[in-house]
Amino acid sequence: MSRYTYTLNPGQREPEQMQTYKRSQLEGMTMYQLREICRRERLVSSSRETPDREGYIQRIMRFRGQREFRHVDQGCEKGLERLQEFLDGIHMESREGRGIRIPGTIFLYEDLELNSLDGYRVESEWGLYEGNLLLVDEEDRIYTCFYLKETDGEFYLQKGREVPVLPLERRQYSILYFPQERVSEFLYDRYFGRTAAVLGYLEAVRIPLLDIQVRKVEETELPLVIDFGSSNTTMGICLPDGTSRLARSENGYVIPSMVGIRDVREQRPLYVFGCEAARLNRQNYRDEEVPVFYDIKRWVSDPDRKESVILKNGHRYQIPRREMLAAFLEYLIGMGKQQFKCNFKQIQLLSPIRQKEKFQELFQELLSGYQVECVLDEGMAVLFHSIDSLIRQGGYQKGQWYHALVIDCGGGTTDLTSGRFRIDNSRVSYLVDLETSYENGDTNFGGNNLTYRILQLIKIRIVKALKGWEEGKEDETSIRCLEEAYKRAEAVLPTRFKEYEERSREEYFYVKNNYYYLFELAEEVKKRFFQPEFLYEFQVSTRRELAGGENERIRKGWDQENRAGEGLNRENQTSGRKTQAIFLDRWKLSVMEQGRLEHLKEEIAFSLYLNEIEEILRPDIYGLMGRFLEQKFVRGELQNYEMIKLTGQSCKSRLFTEALKEYVPGRLIQHSRKEENGTQLKMCCLEGALAYFFNRKLGYMKVNQEYQVGTLPYEIMAYTHENQEKVLIKSLDREDEIGYISRFMVGRQLDLYLNDSQGKRLRTYSFTYDTARFLQTTQEEINEAYGGTVIQEETDIIQEGEMKFFVWVSRKKWGFIVLPVLREGELLYRGEETFFAFEDDTWEENFFDGRK
């Protein structure tokens, strides 16, 4: 009979409603159940892959994992009207209470969102979910939409910035909570005008409010102070009452300096920043691009370049660095506006002393709607932190000069700044004379170098656990042995994704994600070992139960900066000493098996120990201190300093203190560090700046400040026609000398070479010129422009047909200038002054270029 049955639209299948799953549900299922879900949902893997239990969970979560609840957090024309129409036409059974508690008084601000940092926590005796809520009066008129969001196990009331709020009157207001999740999803669809299944009955919980107000955001003359770091950023504001507030980011005061690109719509990137960018990075699978950029502070040296990114749609996009930097800064300003409830006109950016002028020029261009200043450099802000402490504690001698040396090891660079200050107390205010000078620096050493060393060790240990290297008994704490073992490990666990650009897209992403995942893992290991609470052993395991579940601190973002040692990890009590464990996700790593990249199948576990971590970091840290302090020690200059300050989060390692003690007594070393707060080393700079602007604003203090770039950690050299090296600018030279070198006039190009203070070649500059564009000049004009310098002396002796190139330092712009002068036909001709920057990321150490 079936062959005679009539079928409507033969061959067309009814659309199926895809089911979604939570990880907690899947982890309680058997292997058979997981396989059955994959079969039913048609989640087929390649024939060469045979997933284990965790593999099935990963696959289901990737394609059918329960997404976050859809929230009404955007503006939509007539959205509230559609919700009101729905509410008016349905029978709603509402009851008060049900054990749900919401703060009775709520303050909303125009053009600002409401988020978890506003602190409107919602509690319930029966459990909650992240659903949409409605603000209504006693007649069930809708005024706006809220939603719940879970943060660290707590639920908070939130509202989107663009969601309208109808004019509030003197009424009794309540918030409607809907116990059924499908109602929340229906409200979302109805608000945005999407087709949804009609509800016939509505159950709601009515939570009465005591008061709700909408306030305006006030203008403020106070500056938003931003300490833009290579790895992390902090910011704060001085309030009119004399106190200061720091911006928070997901239970911490540290904002990761990261930019992610979630999508591109209508040729405009959809950015995510900070902790959300870090989460986006962790959500990627091993065959997808990592659309997240680290170390964006380096872009200041070369902001005109574009970065390439391949998104999930397979398209490659070129995103300008300037655009991403501007978006990140706007994000910071928006965060400050939301938390401090005021509109800013002035932005104060703390900059490296060597790039103060460049920072201010670039960021004023990027933030044209604000007044951007770099009044304080980072070294000066750190010194003012000490000045403010001395004044508050009364621990200074009136009129005495204090000398300090500041070593700031950040995420990407390390700077050595010296300073001196004296404090006087007049009848009306304190008088402070403050001078800072840039002494030395290393743009290729910072916290990322330490993370990379740990990454090397982790990669070697993973490969050893897989292959059981017999020859792996060498001392891994030796840098030479570490480098050799790391190179061998590349054949098993590749991370040099630059070499895979000519291979398949899949292989390229496998290798790229290997590196990014290991770098994130190494960063977490570094922070665990450097936390105030002592930790000797650290376990890495592919078994969740041994690692205490998925690494909560990585999953929840970078907020562990303020929460180190809070018991988020399982303690190994059987070993007799405290250990911590971290989960190694096998499905995030790809290893080479018979010439093909496969996901890591074997279960592995190994331990890392504090002593071996310190041994692989010690050569780099001691070497840095030697480069910075050896000459000062030999010349006896270090005994002139009353204090040595260590700042920057990387200085949490005790190795920095140990290395310093090779040169100075321990009593001189000051850690801006509190044992209960691992972020104090980062906050020192910001807190000093806030104290500076607070005292200046209230007239408590008159500050005479002066800064200069004292020495240069570079030298500029060129080759003579006899192929002899000639140094034009000497390294670590405090004098503003002008170098010169000559060529015959038929040339078109002069090559100049940048070396570091140890003579290592960093970069080649090609100065091209066209003598036809030179302007005729006279000796008098040259004398007037450059009187009293070597230029005047050397132009007198320029011979016929000789072109002399003068080279001198521009300390404010952190670079050097080249001026060509030619004598032809007994006349002098001068080319244009050309500026070259010392630093850009063509030669700086880049840990994300795919060559590591």
Side-chain angles (χ1 to χ4, degrees), residues 384-452:
F384 206 87
H385 185 268
S386 294
I387 293 172
D388 183 62
S389 297
L390 288 174
I391 290 176
R392 285 187 287 104
Q393 297 169 9
Y396 67 93
Q397 292 293 325
K398 185 177 180 180
Q400 176 182 333
W401 281 102
Y402 293 88
H403 298 76
L405 198 63
V406 179
I407 302 174
D408 180 17
C409 184
T413 63
T414 302
D415 290 323
L416 181 69
T417 304
S418 68
R420 67 174 193 152
F421 59 87
R422 64 180 177 186
I423 306 170
D424 204 347
N425 192 354
S426 70
R427 185 173 60 86
V428 295
S429 69
Y430 292 101
L431 301 177
V432 176
D433 294 312
L434 173 60
E435 301 173 3
T436 56
S437 176
Y438 180 78
E439 297 288 337
N440 204 340
D442 192 333
T443 58
N444 287 325
F445 187 88
N448 287 340
N449 298 69
L450 308 182
T451 302
Y452 176 65

Side-chain angles (χ1 to χ4, degrees), residues 532-600:
E533 183 177 326
F534 180 79
L535 175 68
Y536 175 74
E537 181 183 0
F538 193 88
Q539 295 179 347
V540 181
S541 174
T542 55
R543 297 180 62 185
R544 289 183 183 274
E545 59 272 21
L546 293 182
E550 185 172 5
N551 176 19
E552 290 292 317
R553 291 153 78 96
I554 286 185
R555 182 176 63 84
K556 291 183 179 178
W558 292 34
D559 61 306
Q560 71 273 20
E561 291 291 343
N562 280 343
R563 306 173 62 193
E566 286 188 351
L568 295 177
N569 313 284
R570 182 182 298 263
E571 294 186 14
N572 185 347
Q573 301 292 350
T574 59
S575 64
R577 61 172 176 260
K578 182 173 181 177
T579 64
Q580 293 183 1
I582 190 173
F583 173 66
L584 177 67
D585 194 339
R586 292 180 292 134
W587 286 85
K588 291 291 183 72
L589 290 176
S590 302
V591 295
M592 195 66 71
E593 295 285 352
Q594 299 179 349
R596 301 177 66 95
L597 283 167
E598 306 279 357
H599 80 84
L600 179 61

Side-chain angles (χ1 to χ4, degrees), residues 143-157:
Y143 288 82
T144 192
C145 297
F146 294 106
Y147 62 91
L148 293 182
K149 189 74 174 179
E150 185 179 8
T151 302
D152 293 337
E154 303 284 352
F155 285 87
Y156 290 90
L157 189 69

Side-chain angles (χ1 to χ4, degrees), residues 401-553:
W401 281 102
Y402 293 88
H403 298 76
L405 198 63
V406 179
I407 302 174
D408 180 17
C409 184
T413 63
T414 302
D415 290 323
L416 181 69
T417 304
S418 68
R420 67 174 193 152
F421 59 87
R422 64 180 177 186
I423 306 170
D424 204 347
N425 192 354
S426 70
R427 185 173 60 86
V428 295
S429 69
Y430 292 101
L431 301 177
V432 176
D433 294 312
L434 173 60
E435 301 173 3
T436 56
S437 176
Y438 180 78
E439 297 288 337
N440 204 340
D442 192 333
T443 58
N444 287 325
F445 187 88
N448 287 340
N449 298 69
L450 308 182
T451 302
Y452 176 65
R453 287 296 186 205
I454 299 173
L455 180 152
Q456 288 181 301
L457 183 62
I458 292 175
K459 176 176 171 178
I460 293 167
R461 290 291 173 83
I462 291 174
V463 173
K464 281 189 173 184
L466 288 172
K467 301 299 179 182
W469 282 350
E470 291 296 330
E471 67 273 22
K473 298 180 180 179
E474 70 274 3
D475 181 14
E476 291 171 348
T477 58
S478 162
I479 295 300
R480 184 182 63 82
C481 294
L482 183 76
E483 293 283 1
E484 291 177 357
Y486 185 72
K487 290 178 181 178
R488 292 202 311 274
E490 180 71 12
V492 179
L493 181 57
T495 54
R496 299 169 62 93
F497 55 88
K498 184 72 175 177
E499 299 174 358
Y500 285 75
E501 289 182 336
E502 303 301 323
R503 302 197 188 184
S504 70
R505 182 175 183 272
E506 185 181 62
E507 288 180 300
Y508 173 80
F509 288 148
Y510 282 171
V511 179
K512 186 173 184 179
N513 279 289
N514 275 351
Y515 183 81
Y516 273 78
Y517 179 70
L518 290 178
F519 192 90
E520 185 85 5
L521 193 69
E523 181 74 14
E524 176 65 13
V525 170
K526 181 184 74 174
K527 291 174 180 176
R528 299 281 187 92
F529 273 122
F530 290 175
Q531 65 186 354
E533 183 177 326
F534 180 79
L535 175 68
Y536 175 74
E537 181 183 0
F538 193 88
Q539 295 179 347
V540 181
S541 174
T542 55
R543 297 180 62 185
R544 289 183 183 274
E545 59 272 21
L546 293 182
E550 185 172 5
N551 176 19
E552 290 292 317
R553 291 153 78 96

Side-chain angles (χ1 to χ4, degrees), residues 73 101 105 124 197 223 227 243 259 347 359 419 426 437 465 479 495 522 576 628 648 668 678 766 791 838:
D73 58 0
R101 294 178 294 278
T105 301
S124 173
D227 180 12
T243 61
V259 177
I347 308 297
F359 263 64
S426 70
S437 176
I479 295 300
T495 54
F628 278 10
L668 298 182
S766 295
I791 295 181
F838 282 135

Side-chain angles (χ1 to χ4, degrees), residues 761-814:
R761 179 68 46 80
L762 299 175
R763 183 183 178 187
T764 301
Y765 301 90
S766 295
F767 173 58
T768 59
Y769 54 90
D770 183 0
T771 56
R773 297 178 178 271
F774 284 18
L775 300 177
Q776 183 179 336
T777 187
T778 64
Q779 189 67 52
E780 289 74 19
E781 290 177 350
I782 293 177
N783 293 347
E784 183 179 352
Y786 306 100
T789 68
V790 71
I791 295 181
Q792 177 183 349
E793 301 170 4
E794 292 297 326
T795 52
D796 291 338
I797 60 175
I798 295 178
Q799 300 178 6
E800 180 68 22
E802 177 186 357
M803 181 179 297
K804 185 165 287 188
F805 300 89
F806 297 94
V807 181
W808 68 91
V809 173
S810 174
R811 297 178 187 267
K812 284 188 175 182
K813 293 187 176 181
W814 198 241

